[in-house]
């Protein structure tokens, strides 16, 4: 096969067996590679295998779907799936199970088992349940034919799911039990059988291993005991079995030493003598006879029997033969009895069997046991190969392709080498065992001479006696040292005679007396290998008559740790298990097989001219292959079959086309990028030029602006110098004037200041004393008031408690609430008083501060007046100064006085500023006081608001309490009422749970079946007294019959609707109201109504009758809910005062909707008795039953429609895949054809419900539950079927969801409700399937943005099942998968349910309160009695016309 640069290949690796690599360079005879470990190597092309570059990272569930079916492809596919906890994988009909070494509870629960029942094999993900179901279906199929007698066989390894099953070294002698080798007996009853530590016994201390980690000998002993009890071995036989095992152990410790005579032997020492005596005691035979049997043997001659003594070695071998014989007879007895206890019918023609066998064995030292095991595996592998080839032939035959020239190479040559007569390994071994002087050297020499040219047998390099055989799983070198000894199975007659004479019935039963033999020797030779061969042949005959199902189990690592995959170990098991042999068989024929749609989706781009839709799929496939000049292919009915290597040619050509297309795309993209860069550079140059011109213009403008600013600055500087000189002169004049004026008023102002300070101190002191006295009086008054109010409140509380003793727990809660309200009221009152007091105090303080401020203002004004007068005087003085300007001496003295006046004036200014500052401080204090007052007022308003809310809550609770008290009173009256007469039949009403709060579940009360109504003349005309009692009874019965007839016809007949109102419900309610049935203490009319409705539903439970009665029962229930009320007999003072606030004013009553509409008087509230209350509960249960029946019927109708929408049809997927590749598309079948069926179903449902005037509340609930059911079915199917978890199927389901979304938008929220939100799971899952670049998404983004409603286990399942069948994109990154796997493993220990599937909610999604709130009120008086019922006398009901007042 030729490779090119960039090709993806597999290359052998000494550590990983195989590793991924990419071709870097192709030379003459070598190919340069870069491995996944970034190593560069050179290898010949024939050492490489092609690798699929587009392979799914999650692997494929059936390895026949691999593009390149090869050894590394199989290995790495298992590794990828194992990393995702996908432990099951198909290879055709073979299931491969990889041990996870951890618990996976979600795979083995009952829900998962139900998913695989009756499903066609291969439709769901690989699972052992699928194998079991297929076996059972075959069993049923064969059972239907009396001429077929088959048995289904399953082959399961001994390492399934981490459970260590005891292993056996021999093949089963029957289908029910297997033969076991010498295992260590459990050390029990040591004192009884004189047993010690295992190291003390020769037969147990050979391996030097006496304890196993994690295995308790005592526990295993009792498990063995219990198992014996289960299979029917009685206690005496159990004791005999353990006695025999103990005797064998003692027998093995008997040692011999040379005797006095030549070639004789005796017991070595006292210890051996002890073991001899214990063995004879346990065998219950003579010790001397036992010793004689061990140390001698008899030879029969014509003259008589000759006793020959045995030397020590022969005596030891004789001892071992006896032990082996006893152990073999004991084990045969166990096998026989266990088979009997199983109870298998030997005459049964049909049965299911399970065979658990060893795998291929290859150790460092391989002896006779490994030879037999591998011989058995060769036979079973031949059977397995024949089965695989048979499956291949069956598929070829079904596809109608020619397969006659396909060669099938089996392992018959090595089987002939082992078992063929007269020259075979077993025959040569038996022949060597027949001669006493034969050794393993002579056996090996003859073996090599007989088969020196055989390709399967060769001589070992460093040994003369070892030989190597080429098995299907590899070469094995056997050491022939012990072949002859292990093949000999001598039966010594003296041993049988000795033990047949045992006093123990069990032991003597094991050794039946042998007939007299003509042989001179007491030794009888039996070949173990020949017997093994016969048993194996019998097993193969049984297997050939069965239909096998294979489960190959793989142990991923030798340390039994989860998430550890050792490639070399797994590859060795795949070879030994025959999986790779099955791959070799597939490679001999047509290993690559694809459906036409899959082939066209992958290779249609090689011939785009054929994708215009004018050819069918088979023709397109044939033309593509002919265009590439391929010959090694065949076209079947639905698949194309390619020989090995053909798919590589197709992939190579496909890669060339894709690379050419990629280069074209790259050229166009680079052109686009270059043009875009040019446009950007051009725009940048233009911008740079504009910026430079702008900079030059700004510099010129700045220069001109500076010149103008210089002129302006000069002008202002000159102005400033002149003004400063003027102001200096003016200031000097003013200083002189102020100094003269301030001098005269200084002394006067000082006196006034002292007087004002004294007055202010006196005022503040008097205010302080008055305030202290006021606070003392106020605290005393508040304490007295609180004590008095507390006393009055306690009296009132005691009175209320005495009045509320009968109200129970609710009254206690009310009292606590009242107490809290009293405390709140007291606190509010106290806060009000404190607020008033605080306001008064603050007002006084504010007034005083205001007065002080006014006084200061008056003083300030006086000072201002004095200043003005001083200014006038200063003007006079100034005139005098002008007149005396010439007097220099006087002027100097005046200047000195003016300096002093200036100082006084400065002090005066400081005092004025201090007064102004003090005034501002007082104003800020006043503002703070006002703010504090406002905050306090706001808090009081909040407290008042909370008080009003608590008062309203208390009022509503008291109303509920009064209602409960009234109903409780009714129930008490009925409970203590007198029982009916003995001749009346008692009727026990049925009770139903009330879901809404506020009502009690009513107790069972015996009621009379006779309908009784009140007899006051106000309602019923008086019956004449002249009538006899019998006539009165007859008239009453006639009336009852008329009423029942009227009600029965209302229920039985379809009365329809009037103006959207159900006629039957309104008629029944009017009749019950007219007959005053709601006020009757005892009546059976309600039971009659409910039973009649149930009878109608049972007899005629069609689609239209259920919506009809859903509308009627809901209307009748709403009428009862709104118009019935309990008889209010309990009215407590607390209830009357509940409507009053703490201020004593009555709160305004709330208006009812009927009062607002002006029609409250049209509905009369009826005081209902106990039967009416019970009838309301029964009617509620009947409504829930009708709703449940409708919902279940809808789910049954919807299930087959959903099964068509779960997965896109293959033709649709093929057209969709080709549509992206073809340039011109033809007319295709719309993707939503099956979804249109669901839309039609929903339209029909909505039409039926609306035709029966079902309230929109129930329509919303039904449609919401229908959409919830669709969400569950679609989501569960997505997680169970890998072919549904694809990109194209996600697009298909998404398009269908868009159809449903449009339907929801069309019917509006009035009928659809929250239906769109019910599809959250499937919407988010499908949205995740169809997004691109999943590998860039982190786990947080997936959980928070893409799939917030899905759990980690569900997201993990989708990520591991996903594969892109359209664009060959990859799933999420390995890091995200590893994180989710860790989270799933942690959650598996804590979750109650580990299933990732959704459960259907079967609860009723509404309550009685919901119904009464959601359904609008109707007036039954607007509905007239139907004409067909007016002929009944009881149907003459009063007609009341209501006049709606004008608005």
């Amino acid at each position: 096969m030729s490779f090119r640069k960039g090709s993806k290949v597999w290359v052998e690796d000494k550590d990983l067996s195989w590793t991924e690599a990419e071709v870097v360079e192709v030379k003459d005879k070598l190919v340069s590679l870069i491995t996944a470990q970034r190593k560069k190597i050179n290898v010949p092309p024939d050492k490489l295998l092609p690798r699929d570059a587009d392979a799914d990272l999650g692997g494929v569930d059936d390895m026949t779907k691999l593009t390149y079916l090869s050894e590394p492809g199989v290995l790495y596919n298992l590794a990828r799936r194992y990393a995702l906890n996908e432990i099951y994988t198909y290879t055709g009909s073979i299931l491969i199970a990889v041990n996870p070494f951890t618990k996976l509870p979600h795979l083995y629960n009952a829900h998962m088992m139900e998913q695989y029942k009756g499903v066609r094999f291969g439709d769901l993900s690989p699972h052992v349940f699928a194998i079991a179901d297929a076996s059972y279906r075959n069993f049923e199929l064969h059972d239907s034919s009396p001429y077929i007698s088959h048995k289904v066989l399953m082959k399961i390894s001994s390492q399934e799911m981490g459970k260590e099953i005891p292993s056996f070294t021999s093949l089963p002698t029957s289908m029910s039990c297997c033969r076991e080798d010498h295992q260590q007996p459990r050390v029990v009853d040591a004192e009884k059988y004189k047993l010690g530590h295992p190291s003390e016994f020769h037969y147990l201390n050979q391996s030097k291993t006496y304890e196993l980690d994690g295995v308790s000998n005592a526990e295993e002993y009792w498990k063995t005991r219990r198992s014996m009890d289960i299979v029917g071995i009685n206690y005496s036989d159990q004791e005999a079995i353990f006695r025999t095992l103990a005797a064998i152990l003692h027998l093995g410790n008997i040692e011999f030493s040379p005797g006095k005579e030549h070639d004789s032997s005796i017991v070595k020492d006292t210890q051996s003598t002890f073991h001899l005596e214990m063995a004879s005691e346990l065998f219950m035979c003579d010790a001397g006879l036992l010793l004689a049997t061990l140390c001698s043997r008899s030879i029969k001659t014509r003259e008589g029997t000759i006793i020959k003594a045995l030397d020590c070695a022969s005596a030891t071998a004789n001892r071992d033969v006896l032990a082996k014989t006893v152990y073999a007879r004991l084990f045969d007895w166990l096998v026989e009895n266990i088979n009997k206890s199983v109870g298998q019918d030997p005459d049964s023609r049909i049965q299911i069997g399970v065979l658990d066998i060893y795998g291929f064995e290859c150790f460092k030292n391989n002896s006779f046991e490994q030879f037999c095991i591998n011989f058995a595996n060769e036979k079973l592998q031949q059977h397995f190969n024949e089965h695989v080839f048979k499956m291949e032939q069956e598929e070829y035959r079904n596809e109608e392709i020619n397969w006659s020239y396909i060669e099938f190479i089996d392992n018959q040559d090595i089987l002939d080498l082992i078992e063929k007569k007269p020259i075979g390994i077993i025959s040569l071994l038996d022949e060597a065992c027949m001669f006493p002087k034969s050794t393993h050297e002579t056996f090996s020499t003859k073996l090599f001479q007989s088969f020196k040219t055989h390709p399967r047998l060769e001589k070992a390099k460093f040994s003369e006696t070892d030989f190597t055989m080429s098995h299907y799983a590899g070469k094995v070198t056997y050491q022939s040292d012990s072949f002859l000894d292990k093949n000999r199975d001598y039966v010594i007659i003296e041993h049988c005679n000795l033990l047949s004479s045992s006093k123990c019935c069990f032991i003597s039963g094991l050794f039946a007396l042998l007939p007299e033999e003509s042989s001179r020797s007491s030794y009888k030779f039996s070949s173990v290998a020949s017997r093994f061969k016969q048993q194996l042949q019998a097993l193969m005959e049984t297997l050939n008559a069965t239909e096998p199902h294979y489960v190959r189990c793989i142990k991923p690592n030798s340390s039994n740790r989860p998430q550890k995959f050792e490639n070399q170990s797994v590859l060795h098991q795949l070879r030994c298990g025959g999986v790779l042999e099955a791959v070799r068989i597939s490679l001999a024929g047509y290993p690559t097989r694809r459906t036409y749609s899959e082939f066209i989706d992958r290779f249609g781009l090689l011939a785009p001219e054929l994708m215009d839709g004018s050819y069918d799929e088979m023709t397109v496939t044939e033309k593509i292959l002919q265009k590439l000049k391929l010959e090694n292919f065949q076209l079947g009915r639905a698949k194309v079959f390619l020989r090995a290597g053909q798919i590589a040619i197709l992939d190579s050509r496909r890669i060339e086309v894709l690379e050419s297309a990629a280069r074209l795309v790259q050229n166009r993209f680079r052109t686009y990028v270059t043009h875009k860069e040019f446009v950007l550079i051009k725009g940048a140059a233009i911008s740079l030029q504009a910026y430079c011109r702008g900079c030059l213009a700004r510099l010129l403008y700045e220069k001109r602006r500076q010149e103008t600013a210089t002129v302006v600055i000069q002008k202002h500087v000159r102005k400033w110098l002149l003004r400063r000189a003027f102001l200096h002169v003016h200031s000097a004049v003013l200083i002189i004037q102020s100094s003269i004026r301030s001098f005269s008023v200084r002394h006067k102002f000082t006196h006034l200041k002292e007087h004002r300070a004294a007055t202010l101190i006196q005022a503040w002191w008097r205010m302080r004393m008055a305030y202290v006295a006021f606070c003392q009086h106020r605290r005393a008054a508040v304490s007295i008031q609180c004590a008095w109010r507390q006393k009055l409140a306690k009296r009132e509380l005691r009175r209320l408690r005495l009045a509320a003793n009968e109200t129970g727990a609710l009254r206690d809660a009310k009292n606590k609430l009242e107490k809290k309200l009293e405390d709140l009221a007291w606190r509010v009152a106290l806060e009000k008083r404190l607020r008033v007091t605080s306001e008064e105090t603050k007002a006084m303080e504010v007034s005083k501060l205001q007065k002080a401020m006014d006084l200061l203002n008056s003083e300030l004004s006086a000072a201002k007046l004095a200043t003005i007068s001083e200014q006038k005087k200063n003007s006079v003085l100034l005139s005098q100064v002008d007149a005396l300007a010439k007097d220099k001496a006087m002027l100097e003295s005046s200047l000195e006085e003016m300096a002093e006046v200036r100082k006084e004036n400065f002090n005066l200014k400081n005092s004025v500023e201090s007064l102004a500052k003090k005034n501002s401080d007082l104003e800020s204090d006043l503002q703070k006081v006002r703010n504090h007052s406002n905050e306090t007022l706001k808090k009081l308003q909040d407290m008042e608001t909370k008080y009003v809310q608590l008062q309203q809550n208390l009022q509503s609770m008291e109303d509920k309490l009064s209602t409960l008290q009234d109903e409780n009173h009714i129930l008490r009256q009925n409970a203590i009422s007198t029982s009916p007469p003995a001749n009346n039949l008692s009727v026990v009403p049925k009770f139903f749970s009330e879901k809404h709060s506020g009502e009690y579940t009513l107790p069972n009360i015996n009621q009379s079946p006779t309908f009784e109504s009140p007899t006051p003349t106000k309602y019923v005309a008086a019956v004449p007294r002249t009538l006899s009692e019998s006539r009165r009874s007859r008239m009453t019965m006639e009336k009852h019959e008329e009423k029942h007839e009227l009600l029965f016809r209302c229920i039985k007949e379809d009365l329809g609707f009037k103006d959207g109102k159900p006629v039957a419900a309104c008629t029944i309610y009017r009749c019950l109201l007219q007959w005053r049935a709601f006020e009757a203490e005892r009546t059976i009319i309600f039971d009659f109504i409910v039973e009649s409705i149930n009878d109608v539903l049972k007899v005629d439970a069609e689609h239209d009758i259920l919506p009809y009665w859903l509308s009627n029962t809901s209307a009748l229930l709403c009428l009862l809910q709104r118009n019935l009320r309990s008889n209010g007999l309990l009215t407590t003072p607390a209830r009357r005062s509940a409507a009053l606030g703490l201020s004593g004013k009555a709160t305004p009553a709330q208006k009812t909707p009927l009062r607002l509409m002006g029609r409250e008087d049209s509905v009369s509230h009826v005081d209902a008795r106990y039967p009416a209350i019970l009838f309301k509960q029964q009617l509620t249960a009947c409504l829930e039953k009708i709703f449940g029946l409708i919902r279940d019927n809808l789910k049954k109708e919807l299930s087959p429609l959903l099964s068509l929408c779960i997965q896109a049809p293959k033709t649709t997927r093929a057209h969709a895949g080709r549509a992206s590749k073809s340039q011109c598309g033809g007319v295709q079948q719309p993707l939503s054809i099956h979804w249109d069926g669901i839309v039609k179903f929903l339209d029909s449902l909505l039409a039926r419900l609306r035709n029966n005037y079902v309230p929109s509340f129930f329509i919303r609930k039904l449609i919401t539950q229908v959409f919830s059911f669709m969400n569950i079915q679609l989501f569960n199917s997505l997680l169970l079927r890998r072919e549904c978890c694809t990109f194209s199927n996600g697009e298909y389901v998404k398009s269908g969801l868009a159809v449903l979304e449009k339907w929801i938008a069309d019917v509006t929220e009035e009928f659809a409700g929250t239906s769109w939100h019910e599809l959250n799971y499937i919407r988010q899952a499908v949205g995740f399937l169809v997004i691109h670049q999943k590998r860039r998404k982190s786990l947080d983004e997936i959980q928070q943005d893409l799939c917030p409603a899905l759990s980690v286990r569900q997201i993990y399942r989708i990520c591991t099942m996903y594969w892109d069948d359209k664009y060959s994109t990859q799933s999420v990154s390995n890091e995200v998968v590893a994180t989710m796997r860790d989270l799933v493993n942690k959650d598996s220990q804590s979750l109650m349910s580990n299933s990732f599937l959704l459960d259907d909610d079967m609860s009723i999604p509404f309550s009685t309160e919901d119904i009464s709130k959601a359904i609008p009120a109707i007036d039954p008086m607007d509905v007239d009695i139907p004409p067909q019922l007016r002929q009944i006398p009881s149907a003459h009901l009063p007609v009341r016309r209501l006049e709606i007042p004008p608005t």
Side-chain angles (χ1 to χ4, degrees), residues 673-770:
V673 172
T674 305
H675 180 265
K676 187 175 180 181
E677 290 177 355
F678 168 75
V679 172
L680 291 175
I681 293 173
K682 180 180 178 181
I686 295 174
S687 300
L688 183 60
Q689 293 173 357
Y691 177 74
C692 293
R693 294 189 184 100
C695 289
L696 294 175
R698 283 191 292 273
L699 290 175
L700 181 61
Y701 169 77
E702 184 67 22
K703 183 177 179 181
R704 293 179 180 177
R705 190 172 67 86
Q706 289 178 357
E707 292 175 354
T708 305
T710 301
V711 175
V712 173
I713 290 172
Q714 291 175 356
K715 180 182 68 175
H716 284 284
V717 168
R718 297 187 188 99
K719 176 183 177 181
W720 178 77
L721 291 174
L722 294 173
R723 179 173 178 79
R724 189 178 65 171
F726 169 76
L727 291 176
H728 181 70
V729 176
H730 183 266
S731 176
V733 173
L734 291 179
I735 290 172
I736 293 172
Q737 291 176 355
S738 62
S739 297
I740 295 173
R741 294 187 187 103
S742 63
F743 176 75
S744 62
V745 297
R746 182 181 58 189
H747 295 289
K748 182 178 179 180
F749 177 76
T750 302
H751 176 72
L752 184 62
K753 180 180 178 183
E754 292 176 353
H755 179 72
R756 184 170 62 251
T759 304
L760 183 62
I761 292 172
Q762 291 175 359
W764 278 98
W765 173 253
R766 294 189 187 98
M767 182 185 69
R768 173 64 182 171
M769 297 302 294

Side-chain angles (χ1 to χ4, degrees), residues 12-269:
E12 288 185 295
D13 185 86
K14 63 179 181 180
D15 296 326
L16 301 176
S17 298
W18 292 91
T19 186
E20 300 172 343
E22 182 178 351
V23 177
V24 178
E25 183 181 1
V26 180
K27 301 178 182 179
D28 295 336
K29 296 183 179 180
L30 293 176
V31 178
S32 297
L33 306 173
I34 291 291
T35 65
Q37 295 77 28
R38 310 309 300 171
K39 295 180 181 179
K40 188 173 182 179
I41 57 176
N42 296 322
V43 294
D46 56 352
K47 297 293 184 180
L48 302 178
L49 291 177
R51 176 168 61 92
D52 186 8
D54 300 330
D56 187 9
L57 291 178
V60 295
D61 55 359
D62 191 343
M63 286 189 287
T64 59
K65 299 178 182 178
L66 290 173
T67 303
Y68 300 102
L69 186 60
S70 59
E71 183 177 287
V74 171
L75 177 64
Y76 274 81
N77 185 70
L78 293 176
R80 291 190 184 102
R81 291 180 60 80
Y82 181 75
L84 302 176
N85 274 342
E86 296 290 339
I87 62 174
Y88 292 117
T89 308
Y90 289 138
T91 301
S93 62
I94 306 166
L95 179 67
I96 299 178
V98 184
N99 195 331
F101 290 115
T102 186
K103 293 183 178 179
L104 300 176
H106 66 279
L107 286 181
Y108 305 105
N109 51 30
H111 186 69
M112 182 66 73
M113 187 184 299
E114 289 294 329
Q115 303 299 320
Y116 284 87
K117 282 188 178 179
V119 180
R120 190 180 64 178
F121 184 81
D123 283 356
L124 298 182
S125 301
H127 204 289
V128 70
F129 291 160
I131 294 290
D133 185 77
S135 302
Y136 187 72
R137 301 301 162 193
N138 268 327
F139 177 83
E140 290 183 340
L141 178 64
H142 295 155
D143 191 30
S144 62
S145 175
Y147 301 103
I148 301 178
S149 177
H150 281 357
K151 165 170 64 175
V152 180
L153 176 71
M154 291 179 59
K155 186 267 173 190
I156 303 178
S157 175
S158 61
Q159 295 168 348
E160 173 70 12
M161 298 304 101
K163 298 179 180 178
E164 293 296 331
I165 300 176
S167 51
F168 304 94
T169 60
S170 303
L171 272 243
T173 56
S174 69
M175 287 300 295
S176 301
C177 182
C178 297
R179 181 178 293 272
E180 185 179 6
D181 68 345
H182 295 279
Q183 292 190 0
Q184 173 181 334
R186 306 306 174 193
V187 182
V188 293
D189 296 337
E191 296 182 358
K192 182 177 181 181
Y193 300 127
K194 300 297 188 294
L195 299 176
H197 193 268
S199 61
E200 300 175 0
F201 293 92
H202 175 70
Y203 288 156
L204 299 181
N205 59 16
Q206 304 296 313
S207 63
K208 306 298 181 182
T209 301
Y210 311 112
E211 298 290 340
L212 297 177
D213 295 337
V215 178
S216 172
N217 287 333
E219 185 177 351
E220 290 297 320
Y221 167 73
W222 288 113
K223 286 182 180 179
T224 305
R225 282 281 196 178
R226 285 193 295 270
S227 300
M228 288 182 175
D229 293 336
I230 292 172
V231 299
I233 301 176
N234 56 41
Y235 180 77
S236 60
D237 287 344
Q238 292 181 27
E239 290 296 321
I241 291 171
F242 289 113
R243 170 191 291 272
T244 305
L245 292 174
I248 293 173
L249 293 178
H250 285 290
L251 190 64
N253 279 14
I254 301 175
E255 297 181 357
F256 302 94
S257 62
K260 298 179 181 180
E261 299 179 2
H262 179 67
D263 289 339
S264 63
S265 60
I266 59 174
V267 178
K268 183 177 181 181
D269 51 19

Side-chain angles (χ1 to χ4, degrees), residues 1158-1193:
R1159 300 186 61 181
E1160 184 182 23
D1161 297 336
S1162 65
V1163 179
S1164 59
H1165 291 282
V1166 181
D1167 293 335
R1169 299 294 179 180
Y1170 169 70
I1173 297 174
L1174 182 60
F1175 174 58
K1176 185 168 64 175
Q1177 296 178 352
Q1178 293 175 332
L1179 199 61
T1180 302
C1182 186
L1183 177 64
E1184 294 177 354
K1185 175 185 176 182
I1186 296 172
F1187 184 89
L1189 289 174
I1190 296 176
R1191 179 187 59 191
D1192 296 341
N1193 291 338

Side-chain angles (χ1 to χ4, degrees), residues 364 436 501 652 735 794 917 1016 1074 1081 1097 1160 1236:
K364 184 177 180 180
S501 63
S652 177
I735 290 172
K794 288 182 178 179
K917 184 177 181 181
Q1074 175 67 20
E1081 295 288 347
L1097 296 178
E1160 184 182 23
D1236 291 339

Side-chain angles (χ1 to χ4, degrees), residues 414-438:
I414 194 170
L415 293 176
D416 293 340
L417 172 65
I418 296 174
E419 64 177 349
K420 188 175 181 181
K421 292 183 179 181
I423 300 177
I425 296 179
I426 294 179
S427 300
L428 295 177
L429 181 62
D430 291 346
E431 181 181 352
C433 291
M434 295 294 293
F435 298 97
K437 294 183 180 181
S438 296

Side-chain angles (χ1 to χ4, degrees), residues 32 171 225 235 353 619 621 664 712 819 994 1087 1125 1311 1399 1444:
S32 297
L171 272 243
R225 282 281 196 178
Y235 180 77
T619 304
T621 303
L664 179 61
V712 173
K819 186 174 180 181
E994 187 67 28
D1087 293 336
R1125 66 183 179 188
F1311 300 110
D1399 295 330
I1444 301 177

